[in-house]
Structures are given as C-alpha cells and as structure tokens.
Amino acid sequence: MAALEEEFTLSSVVLGAGPDGLLGVEHSDKTDQFLVTDSGRTVILYKLSDQKTLGSWSVKQGQIITCPAVCNFQTGEYIVVHDNKVLRIWNSEDVNLDKVFKATLSAEVYRIHSIQGTEPLVLFKEGAVRGLEALLAEPQQKIETVISNEEVIKWTKLFIVFRHPVLIFITEKHGNYFAYVQTFHSRVLSKYTLLLGQEEEVVIQSFTASVDRKFISLMSLSSDGCIYETLIPIRPTDPEKNQRVVRSLLLKAVVSGNARNGVALTVLDQDHVAVLGSPLPASKECVSIWNIKFQTLQISKELPQGTSGQLWYYGENLFMLHGKFLTVIPYKCEVSSLAGALGKLKHSQDPGIHVTPHFVNWETSQGCGLGCQNSEQSRRILRRRKVEVNLQAEVPPSKQLLLTIKKDSEKHIEVELRKFLAMKQTPDFHAIIGDIVTGLLERCKAEPSFYPRNCLIQLIQTHVLSYSLCPGLMEVALQKTDVQLLQLCLQQFPDIPESVTCMCLKLFLSIGDDCLQETDVNMESVSDYSGTAQDEKMEEQTKILQNGFNPKEDNCSNCDQELNEKPQDTTKETVSCPVIPKRAALLENATMTLPGICPPTLNQIMDWICLLLDANFTVVVMIPEAKRLLINLYKFVKSQISVYSELNKIEVSFRELQKLNQEKNNRGLYSIEVLELF
C-alpha cells in the first residue's frame, strides 16, 4: 500500500514562477533544506521541517536564471547559471549575487548536476560534460559538440554506480529520441536510439529513471497516457556503435490520452512511481502513486487549482506547483507485496488521514477508464503471480537454492543461481549471498572435484560480499590457482588481511606465463600498456648494455667505470615491461577505498612510504652501531657485482658460440671443431 499525507505549502509564499513554472527543486547539504529556483531571477533556500525561508538571492534586473541552482556537497556552496553562460558560486552568508564569484563560460549550459559522492558536473547544451573544478580552472576552454545538429536535450539525470558517476541525457530530433550514457570511470560515451514500437505519432511528455547493477531503467510517460520502460545497459557491448533499444509497455492509461500539458512522472522506488496529470478527459488534475510490479493504482489526490506539470521528490516528500504555490505532499510506500497491492494488508493508519485504495479494473477488456487492461492477459498474470506467491510461502527461494547446492550438478546450480539473482532483492540480500557462498565452499571442501567457478564469479559480481563475510572463498581460490577469481576478490573486497594479500602476490609472481595466457584476466588497469613482446629474439639485445659488462672490453677491474661510451647505442635500447601484460594487470591493479572526502592517492601513499624509508635509512647511516652493517653490505654488493659481471662474460661468449653454430649449416654426420675464446 501507499499513502499520501496532508499537503502543506512552503511559508505560503507565492513564487514568481512565470509561465514555465519552476526551474527546479534541489536538495541542499542539510537534511531538510531545499533550493527552489524559479524561471525568473530568484533562488530561495527553504527549511522543510520549519516550513520557513532561510535565504533568498536574486540576479540583477535584465538578467535571467537559466539553470536550477544546486549545492556543491563537497564545499557547501551554491551554484547557479544565469544568461546561459554566466556561472555564480556563493554561500549562505552572501547577500548580493552580483558581488559573488563569477565565471563566464564559452558555451551554453543545460544543467548542473550535484549529488553526494562526486563533484558537480556541468552538462552543456551541445552534450559535452565537464567537472566543475576543471571548468573553473579554465572557464573559456573550448567545449566540443557531442550531439548532432537540431538535436535538443529534453531530460537528464546523474547516478552513482559502484562509487562512480554515470550520466544519462535524452535528446529529441524530428520526433526521434536518443539516449546518451556517459560513464566517467571508463570515460565512455554511448548513444542509443529509442525505438517507440508500434505506437503512432506519440510524444514523450516526461522521463524518469532508476538504476541497478547493470541497467538504467528509463521510464517515459507518452501522450497516449501510457508508461513505457526501456532498459539501457550501463556498460555497452560496442560503445562506438549507435545501438538501438526498444521500449515496452509498463502501465496503460495512467492519465488521459488527450492530455497535452500538466503531466509528469517520477520513480519513487523499485516498485512505485508517482504520476501527475488528469486520469480522465473531463477530470481534475491528480497526483497518484502506482505499483508497477502489480499494475495497481495505490492512492490518488486531486489538485483542483491545477499544476505546471512538474514533479520532484526527495526522501519521502513530493514537490509540485499547486496553482501558484509550491506544495509539499509527504508520502509512504510500503514494501511491495500482492496483498498490499490489492489492499488486503492490515496496518495502522492515522485517523486524521483518509486513504482510499484504488485498483485496476481487471474484468474490463475494453474502454478508456483507469487501468484498462486485457482481461485474459490480466487473469493470466494474476494466476501466475498467485502460484509464485504460494510457492514462496512454502519454501523461500534462498532455501530452495541452498538445498540445490547440496546435491545437484554444477550446471544445474548455475542455472538456479541465475534465476535467483534475477529476482527482486530483499533487505537481507547480502546475508543470503553470504550463506550461498558458504554452502558452495562447504561442498568444495567435502568434494574436491566440485568447484562451481562460474557460480562464485556471479556471486562476487553482486558487489555485496566481503572477506569477513566469506573468509574461505579466497583460500579455495588460492588452492585452485584461480587468478581470475582472486583478482575479482582483490578488486571488490575492502577488508582482505595482509597475509592473504601476500599469498596472492606470491601466486601471481610464481605462476607460469603459459598458464596466464590461457586465463581470463581483467586488463583494464594496463589498457595503455605499450611494452614490447616478451618473445623478442636475444640477438636483438646484444648491443644493449649488460649488467656490469661491455663485450668490447676484456676486463672489469673498475666496476664504477662507464660501461658504454657510445651515446648512439643508447638510442637502440628497447624499453619493455619485465612481465607479460596479464601478470602486470594482476600486479598493477591496486584499488583502495579510503575514508574522507579527499582520500590520498596511491602515488601519495607511495611517496610517503618512501619518505619514511629514506628518513629511517638516514638515521641508520648516522648511528655508530650501523657502521659494521654498512661495511658488510658494501662488501656483499661489490661481490655480487663481480659475480654478475663474470656471468655476463660467459653469457655473451655462449651467445657468440650459438651464432657460429647457426652459420655452419653444411655439417656432415660427424665433425670436430676447435673454438678459441679470448
């Protein structure tokens, strides 16, 4: 069930919103504070709990705000754009926007995105994106054009996926719609053409979206009154290609089909959406909450003074213009279940709030009322869901899977696990995944031949596991020499003990190159690897300076002497990685999750460690007790240099012998050769 509570207006202040309504409502850095930007000259900061104004700022007469104000969560400052190109930054103590920081940009801004966990991102009208800091460092930098001529951005949203920002924006050109997905971690921009399906001459009036591990669920409310869904992959198979995605019908007839204005859509959670619009041609505008899982209308509230067709939500509050007043309606959405969707749940309710459940007319096969659906299809859906609910009541899916793990084959377990992961996640999902991993590992120990590698990889990729939740996982992977599984664990587990990390390092260094070549390793960390192949012929390196030996000299009495006098030889030196790329990926791919807003980088940490080592070494050198140790170290290093020098002499000699042997091809069955070495 869902409920809409009693509405209230923010300080009962009439906003000068103009014909276009508001530019936006954005969350501030405080829990219950919001920035409201009208389509004229003013930005107002409201405190929701007290329903009062905390601050108000306006641009000069003749200027107009063209982009909603946002809060920089990293600094607590506010950012707004007026006249398309002029960016202003201020804080709550500032009074006059004309006297705050100003930067004039070289291109027109469409929107500034700012959410917790990343710096503000600026989206320009031609599709390019810049981080705020990079933009402020050079405001007049050239901004490239991403979208084609006559394409216009209609909607945009920013998400955080696996701690990295992902931006989606929708464009329109001659009635065709396109989706652009920008992933900032991999710096990939993907373009998708939205295929509208069988509908004729429909206009998309509102967009909203949610995100999971792999897909962006893009929902659209069209002029036919229906809600459609399009699944867009976050990581495309071919980023360079313009791919096509088809939308499917999600909800039918949620608003009147001939309503051209005053409609909006926003997703509240994985099972509920809020819709703003007239449900019937002659009815007043309403705000309603629908359950998209069971296709039922949960609650609806009339807005007799009309709206601007704009809807926002933060926390458990819906924001909209009701008449000329910014209105807030608190809402509640319970965990989705069939009983709740049909209004059968018993729950407590505030006696002062009247909530009436609404249902789709499942028996109506034709017509244009609310929730008109094909009756046979609807009954089949209900029957199928009823069977699913009954089965779940008998044995939970997680219990069924654990029973399957104990006795069935690896292939069958993999199929059942894939089905389980495709289900909706529950609040205890991470604990269930931990139990599944534990069950698999227990069978691995009981049956040495049982190793469900694909299942373990799928479970790691759910991103809910940690070392402490399944400590035996990496132990089994080390026993099986499974470097791909170990690499995944090292990338995603934040709490791996140092001893286990050392064991992984020893394995990565000791495993043979032939085995690594046949192993699937994530090469993202060495994507720019430019070293030469490791199977170069040794003859190509004869002119390279050897360790402590120059073949043109017959003695090495002075180890400190320069060993190669010809500068032109150094130009022939080949710079190559000492290990093959796959081993480099296992060794170089260091990931860190450190607390704080600006955690140190890996290079900064290494610099600090080197500084500490240098400082301690300096102390050791200066104390009298270390003199004997230093002398011994000096003698040892000198002897090693001498040994390596002699070995290099032998190495070059044998290489020359090999050349001589290769040059003599006309040998008989038996021959004696005498070679003199100088």
Side-chain angles (χ1 to χ4, degrees), residues 310-381:
Q310 297 170 294
L311 183 64
W312 302 269
Y313 94 97
Y314 293 97
E316 292 187 337
N317 296 287
L318 294 172
F319 296 79
M320 69 205 71
L321 271 182
H322 186 196
K324 288 292 184 178
F325 293 85
L326 179 60
T327 301
V328 181
I329 303 180
Y331 72 91
K332 298 286 185 182
C333 287
E334 297 179 355
V335 178
S336 181
S337 65
L338 184 58
L342 297 177
K344 302 296 184 180
L345 277 181
K346 296 181 179 179
H347 57 84
S348 61
Q349 182 176 308
D350 189 339
I353 300 173
H354 181 65
V355 179
T356 305
H358 297 256
F359 312 104
V360 173
N361 186 357
W362 297 101
E363 302 301 325
T364 304
S365 58
Q366 304 292 336
C368 298
L370 271 174
C372 294
Q373 303 286 345
N374 181 277
S375 59
E376 286 300 318
Q377 179 185 2
S378 302
R379 281 194 286 271
R380 285 196 299 271
I381 292 173

Side-chain angles (χ1 to χ4, degrees), residues 190-295:
S190 308
K191 181 180 180 180
Y192 300 88
T193 300
L194 303 182
L195 300 180
L196 302 185
Q198 302 298 322
E199 309 84 39
E200 297 181 358
E201 298 182 358
V202 297
V203 178
I204 300 179
Q205 298 174 304
S206 182
F207 289 97
T208 188
S210 61
V211 67
D212 60 10
R213 299 187 302 272
K214 296 181 179 180
F215 294 95
I216 296 174
S217 173
L218 178 67
M219 300 180 194
S220 55
L221 177 58
S222 298
S223 56
D224 59 358
C226 300
I227 298 177
Y228 297 87
E229 181 183 37
T230 305
L231 293 179
I232 301 176
I234 296 175
R235 297 178 179 176
T237 55
D238 189 358
E240 302 297 328
K241 186 179 179 182
N242 184 2
Q243 303 170 77
R244 297 184 175 185
V245 287
V246 181
R247 67 177 191 166
S248 57
L249 181 63
L250 188 64
L251 282 174
K252 188 176 181 181
V254 296
V255 294
S256 174
N258 59 3
R260 293 288 176 180
N261 297 306
V263 296
L265 170 71
T266 186
V267 62
L268 303 178
D269 57 33
Q270 62 182 1
D271 294 327
H272 297 90
V273 294
V275 179
L276 189 66
S278 303
L280 296 174
S283 64
K284 296 179 180 179
E285 291 182 61
C286 297
V287 58
S288 54
I289 296 179
W290 286 76
N291 186 309
I292 57 177
K293 182 177 182 180
F294 298 109
Q295 302 185 13

